[in-house]
Amino acid sequence: STLFPYTTLFRSAGVGAETSLTSPTAQLLWEQVEGTDIMQYPQYLSISPQFPSVAIREGVLHSGQDYRFRFTVLDTRYPGAKGVAEIAFTVNLPPSSGLCGVTPQEGYSNTDFEMLCKHWVDDVDDLPLTYEYRYMLPRSTTPSDEIPIGTLDKNVLITGLPAPPEAMQRHDVNAVFYVIDQSGGKARSHTSVQ
């Protein structure tokens, strides 16, 4: 998540001088005021908190958590004069309470498999949901090995799944589902199909 960049000038209180964020006398600082403290861990940030904007690495912020950040600009020419702004937000919760599955659980290379997600709920503001359908082969070990089948605004997809290699009679295919809301909240589910 990137917090808003400041590109305007600020007027030092009671001094009447303007300071640009790019001025050599400007000192910039982001601070965290509320939420699980992440600013003390540099590895969580992809931009130093001494720049006009700050970027927090993906997966660092906690779902459902309230955060507040403060941006302060000081001018070294005028001690005590400063400009301050804050931003507050709540990290989106992903869809929840649903399930996904495949019917039938066993099939052949020419079988039509129904991949279905149902009973997923989310905040009204985050609807409608989108569904990503994928699969992983038996030798796959990480989500980066997932092979996309399709992304739909419908909770059902009819598809074929890959046959086993020639030397094998059967194999397990891991069907993977992502349920995604309009704010980018994502839930993952998976099941094995033979």
Side-chain angles (χ1 to χ4, degrees):
S1 300
T2 301
L3 301 183
F4 56 97
Y6 290 82
T7 56
T8 60
L9 301 175
F10 82 91
R11 185 170 292 277
S12 300
V15 176
E18 290 187 348
T19 300
S20 165
L21 296 183
T22 58
S23 169
T25 61
Q27 290 182 336
L28 316 175
L29 181 63
W30 283 95
E31 302 170 89
Q32 186 174 345
V33 180
E34 183 180 346
T36 306
D37 192 7
I38 59 169
M39 297 298 279
Q40 66 177 329
Y41 303 104
Q43 68 271 24
Y44 290 167
L45 306 174
S46 56
I47 299 176
S48 170
Q50 286 81 28
F51 286 97
S53 61
V54 65
I56 300 165
R57 296 192 186 280
E58 185 176 353
V60 171
L61 301 177
H62 300 281
S63 295
Q65 176 82 47
D66 294 327
Y67 290 91
R68 181 180 301 273
F69 292 85
R70 180 179 297 139
F71 180 66
T72 305
V73 181
L74 302 171
D75 188 328
T76 57
R77 297 174 297 178
Y78 308 104
K82 64 182 177 180
V84 177
E86 289 188 359
I87 183 172
F89 58 91
T90 301
V91 177
N92 179 41
L93 287 168
S96 63
S97 304
L99 55 95
C100 296
V102 179
T103 305
Q105 288 287 297
E106 294 183 12
Y108 300 93
S109 58
N110 60 353
T111 299
D112 285 335
F113 293 93
E114 179 184 77
M115 300 177 77
L116 174 68
C117 295
K118 58 184 179 178
H119 306 304
W120 289 90
V121 296
D122 208 340
D123 294 330
V124 174
D125 294 344
D126 292 335
L127 299 175
L129 301 175
T130 302
Y131 304 87
E132 285 184 14
Y133 303 93
R134 302 173 179 219
Y135 70 88
M136 293 172 64
L137 297 173
R139 66 184 177 278
S140 301
T141 57
T142 67
S144 63
D145 294 334
E146 295 173 357
I147 300 166
I149 300 172
T151 301
L152 303 172
D153 58 358
K154 297 190 309 186
N155 67 333
V156 64
L157 174 72
I158 308 294
T159 187
L161 292 171
E166 287 184 26
M168 298 176 65
Q169 291 286 324
R170 56 181 53 217
H171 71 156
D172 289 328
V173 174
N174 195 12
V176 180
F177 311 83
Y178 287 95
V179 183
I180 307 163
D181 68 23
Q182 294 298 306
S183 299
K186 184 184 288 190
R188 183 179 187 271
S189 180
H190 61 92
T191 187
S192 184
V193 180
Q194 196 168 73

